[in-house]
Amino acid sequence: MGKRYSLRRYLVGAVVARAGDEAAGPALMLAGFAVAGSSVEASSLLAGVTLSAAVGGPLLGALLDRAGRPGQLLAGALVLYAAGLGTILAGLGRLPFAVTVLIAAVTGLAGPALSGGWTAQLPRVVPGDRLPRANALDAMTFSTAALAGPALAGGVAEVAGDPWAVVVSVALVALALPAAWTLPAARQLPAARTSERPARSARAERAGLVTGGLLAGARIIASRPALARATLSSAVSCVAQGMLTACVPLLGERVLGGAGRGAALLSCAAVAALFATAVLARFPRVIAPGTAIWAGALVQAAALASAVTGSPSVLVAAALAMGCAEGPQLAALFTVRHREAPERLRGQVFTTGASVKITAFAVGAAAAGPLAARSLPAALLLGAAVAACAVPAYFAIRDDRPPRTRTEHRPTDNPDCH
């Protein structure tokens, strides 16, 4: 199975699944805004589907690192995610809003499967000598999905109505099921080492999964300075990105002439991110990964601040600047994760890191929703301030290792290895 599984199949599945995920956020925001008529409820719905990733990421990573067929586990997570989105749509306006938010929280448990969980399987798809190129292509699937997802959500909402945008996101996630189910099997199960621990009972193994496995990814991230600073800084940036997303319906309504048109801003950012990542892959030594992370945060801060002007042209320019910063920042983060994560804990590092970012995004969305309802400029300026805080967050974690041993200064370290 591993020899017959092509990189193209992996990339197509990743793009489709991630496009569904990217469409789901704006679709839920628009559907919630249409039903409740308030950005507070809309942002609460988005926060519900993303906050639970803090639990879902480590759990999914621990299971993936121990699964003989991780693709089947990922496929199950996709089913949960798609079914949950459909249930949210069915419950809007029919169930109490608190119940709908609870359903969104359960749905969000599977969110890291579409990001870190899928990327962690890449070394099983391609041999080591082809991994750098495959990493670059995988990083681009995020930008491609971020371009297609919001555009589909906004376009379908304008043409057919807000609920159909959610239906499209469900369909996209479901289309990725075959690619996930047939992912190559694990070569070796890290937890299946009974010969090394003959006296250990099955109950002890399960206890180790719960107490040790779930925290293994977090321990690796915290113990390796390059990984810790990249994770912290990118998470702070994600808070600001979540704040912008919560403001998108109001920006579309007040500046662009329609709430659904706000999703086009996310597509503009995705176009810029895809272009910037492609350029960086073509010239890999232009900027070091660490620099891309903290400098990208500064650009995002400036873009959010400029969006306050209320000018459509400046708003579009701000969205493009956001994308130019987000793309290289994500590629740099992938570079650090791939190089710092031990092979046996790769899934946990990726899904834990993804859950941290998703949760940070949710915190930003939840905080900005009520504030934007009172003052949209205040919400955007707060987002700019948060993005700027990602710079001192990066430098707050010191890397005292000798320069030649630091990941981001090795001669072979370049953004082409996402």
Side-chain angles (χ1 to χ4, degrees), residues 25 28-51 92 97-98 100-101 104 242-243 245-251 253-254 362-376 379:
L28 290 176
M29 286 282 292
L30 292 172
F33 188 76
V35 171
S38 169
S39 63
V40 176
E41 282 80 0
S43 61
S44 297
L45 198 59
L46 179 61
V49 83
T50 49
L51 274 172
L92 277 173
F97 189 74
T100 307
V101 172
M243 299 181 79
T245 302
C247 295
V248 158
L250 286 175
L251 284 170
E253 185 178 63
R254 298 180 185 179
V363 169
L371 180 58
R374 295 187 177 186
S375 174
L376 182 57

Side-chain angles (χ1 to χ4, degrees), residues 24 32 88 122 145 292 297 321 323 337 348 385 393 403:
I88 293 170
L122 188 56
R337 280 185 190 167
Q348 293 173 70

Side-chain angles (χ1 to χ4, degrees), residues 171-219:
L172 288 171
V173 174
L175 284 174
L177 285 173
W181 183 268
T182 54
L183 277 164
R187 297 185 183 92
Q188 180 179 358
L189 297 180
R193 297 174 180 170
T194 54
S195 60
E196 298 178 12
R197 300 182 178 91
R200 198 169 184 183
S201 65
R203 179 177 297 180
E205 290 287 345
R206 288 194 296 270
L209 171 63
V210 175
T211 61
L214 294 181
L215 299 177
R219 285 198 297 266

